[in-house]
Amino acid sequence: METPTRNDNSNLPLAGIRVLDITQVMAGPFCCMLLGDMGADVIKIEPPKVGDSTRHSMGFRLKGEDSPGFLALNRNKRSIALDLKNPEHRDVLYALVKTADVLVENARPGVAARLRMDYETLSAINPRLVYASISGFGQTGPWAQRPGFDLIAQAMSGALSATGLPGEEPVKNGIPVADLGAGLFATYGILSALLGREKSGRGQFIDASLLEAALGLSVWETTELWGTGKSPQPIGSANRMSAPYQAVRAADGYFVIGAANQKLWLTFLEVVQRPELNADPRFATNASRVSHRVELIEELRPTLAERTVHEWVEALLAAGVPAGPIYNYEQALASDHVAAREMVMNIPHPVEGSFRALGFPVKMRGTPQRVRHAPPLLDQHGDEIRRELIEAGLLPASSKRTAS
């Protein structure tokens, strides 16, 4: 899907909302990009000369100096470089705060206060400001000052202990669920606070963390702990609540099945021609199948090995049993369905020419999202943003850049 860059956002849901993005790496930039996709004017405030550290991450590049990781997380934003330790640059921040609806930062707890950009300071300037802090472990508690990364949050939330194969070394979720989850939960908090502001007239402080995102997504695992008194153990691709619901091996490789209720289980047995398994007390109910998951898969192994992945998937789908092949990302992104859902798009860029990116994962039928700004070059919009503040009377006409 070719996606032209257009600056008009007047019909998008968050048109007229200004977001100050003082974040780096993943959780915060992801949160602010989602807001930008919905029409918010997102101003990315970056350290001079170096910018967001993700600009320099990853071991590969396209054409320019910014990493593909940075490009993936920073569309629909404008960039200004400010040294927030510099009083003159901090004055620019304060001027921006007067115009802003939302500010998102992801410094370690206490850093914002030292830079005089904490919620108490900024809400005195703009009481309607919704201020979101994203950190590793939250603003309070004995772990608050620990550095936080996705891997650490997965480990200390319990998520890492329940991922992978029994008896093997720990395996983290390949998708950074703590980072991206924190960005999503922060977005949820921000949008809720904006709605609440319509009633109260005031903004509020939002405290989101990677640890709590990983915990918040652990609804099955914590249920198992509290229901059985035992911490969940790794079970590979299987499901804690249903069986068979996992990857299984066919004659030429693995595929996945999801016989997640009794009706689907009985239909599944018809397709694989093993109706006698339902008479086995170990497999007669979902609860018993979950308890005897390993034995169940062993019973099915020789039967499933008789046909190919394609044959089993086609037969199961024809009978209404959820099943699917296991694609790698190249295969998934090349599929007709992903194309039909417009989940790959080309974004024009001043250095790259254009680059491929994931499309919008939520479709808005009445106000479809669009790319209005390519991921910005460092300080690309610094002069433009200062000029806007001067024209609004929020900075003196004599204001000039002191560093960039």
Side-chain angles (χ1 to χ4, degrees):
M1 178 176 75
E2 287 291 340
T3 308
T5 299
R6 292 188 289 174
N7 292 331
D8 176 33
N9 67 338
S10 57
N11 72 329
L12 293 174
L14 296 184
I17 297 293
R18 172 166 284 182
V19 176
L20 305 183
D21 175 4
I22 315 181
T23 70
Q24 298 193 43
V25 189
M26 184 171 291
F30 182 60
C31 165
C32 294
M33 182 180 73
L34 295 178
L35 298 172
D37 288 349
M38 291 295 183
D41 175 22
V42 180
I43 296 177
K44 187 173 181 69
I45 298 172
E46 303 185 70
K49 298 182 181 178
V50 295
D52 183 332
S53 61
T54 311
R55 288 184 182 272
H56 313 291
S57 67
M58 307 182 80
F60 57 93
R61 291 288 182 275
L62 300 178
K63 296 178 182 177
E65 295 182 1
D66 290 336
S67 76
F70 176 85
L71 299 178
L73 290 161
N74 288 282
R75 66 177 176 243
N76 284 330
K77 301 179 184 181
R78 299 188 289 162
S79 172
I80 182 172
L82 297 177
D83 177 1
L84 297 178
K85 297 178 181 178
N86 180 317
E88 292 183 41
H89 285 216
R90 200 180 300 124
D91 285 343
V92 177
L93 170 65
Y94 292 162
L96 283 168
V97 166
K98 293 176 182 178
T99 73
D101 298 279
V102 177
L103 182 145
V104 186
E105 61 90 13
N106 67 344
R108 197 180 301 188
V111 171
R114 290 198 295 273
L115 292 173
R116 296 172 58 195
M117 51 164 275
D118 54 304
Y119 175 67
E120 287 70 25
T121 299
L122 300 188
S123 65
I125 296 172
N126 179 359
R128 290 177 57 82
L129 183 69
V130 173
Y131 186 114
S133 287
I134 303 175
S135 61
F137 296 93
Q139 301 297 307
T140 60
W143 297 347
Q145 289 302 315
R146 291 192 182 205
F149 289 99
D150 178 83
L151 174 63
I152 312 303
Q154 286 198 40
M156 297 183 70
S157 67
L160 199 68
S161 74
T163 306
L165 294 171
E168 300 291 336
E169 68 176 78
V171 177
K172 76 176 181 67
N173 193 305
I175 294 172
V177 292
D179 258 328
L180 295 176
L184 286 168
F185 282 127
T187 304
Y188 154 73
I190 288 166
L191 295 175
S192 298
L194 287 172
L195 285 173
R197 190 180 69 173
E198 296 304 304
K199 301 175 184 177
S200 69
R202 291 189 61 88
Q204 61 179 291
F205 181 80
I206 296 166
D207 180 359
S209 78
L210 275 62
L211 178 79
E212 287 157 293
L215 278 172
L217 295 171
S218 298
V219 288
W220 278 161
E221 289 69 24
T222 51
T223 298
E224 181 176 333
L225 168 64
W226 291 323
T228 67
K230 298 178 181 179
S231 284
Q233 298 301 303
I235 55 174
S237 63
N239 184 275
R240 301 186 186 281
M241 300 293 175
S242 303
Y245 189 105
Q246 65 182 85
V248 292
R249 189 174 184 89
D252 59 344
Y254 285 91
F255 68 103
V256 293
I257 53 175
N261 59 46
Q262 196 67 9
K263 180 181 179 181
L264 290 172
W265 162 244
L266 294 175
T267 305
F268 170 77
L269 292 181
E270 292 177 8
V271 175
V272 300
Q273 299 181 4
R274 295 291 305 274
E276 79 282 0
L277 290 180
N278 195 54
D280 189 321
R282 297 175 299 170
F283 311 136
T285 68
N286 181 66
S288 59
R289 289 192 295 277
V290 169
S291 297
H292 297 91
R293 182 189 303 110
V294 174
E295 298 101 305
L296 172 60
I297 298 305
E298 282 301 315
E299 285 282 355
L300 291 169
R301 190 181 304 278
T303 300
L304 296 175
E306 294 174 358
R307 301 172 72 177
T308 66
V309 167
H310 177 75
E311 289 171 332
W312 280 126
V313 169
E314 290 297 305
L316 289 165
L317 290 179
V321 178
I326 299 174
Y327 288 156
N328 60 32
Y329 279 111
E330 183 178 9
Q331 293 169 316
L333 293 172
S335 69
D336 291 341
H337 185 78
V338 167
R341 297 296 295 169
E342 299 186 327
M343 278 304 296
V344 178
M345 61 183 176
N346 289 298
I347 297 180
H349 188 271
V351 174
E352 304 296 344
S354 70
F355 66 92
R356 281 182 294 178
L358 290 176
F360 305 112
V362 173
K363 313 308 185 204
M364 305 286 285
R365 187 171 294 180
T367 56
Q369 307 97 306
R370 56 179 177 266
V371 178
R372 307 179 324 278
H373 299 287
L377 305 177
L378 177 59
D379 202 36
Q380 179 180 343
H381 305 93
D383 288 334
E384 172 183 299
I385 293 167
R386 283 182 174 84
R387 186 166 57 250
E388 291 171 0
L389 294 172
I390 291 169
E391 291 173 355
L394 297 172
L395 282 179
S398 59
S399 292
K400 59 182 181 180
R401 303 148 98 30
T402 57
S404 61

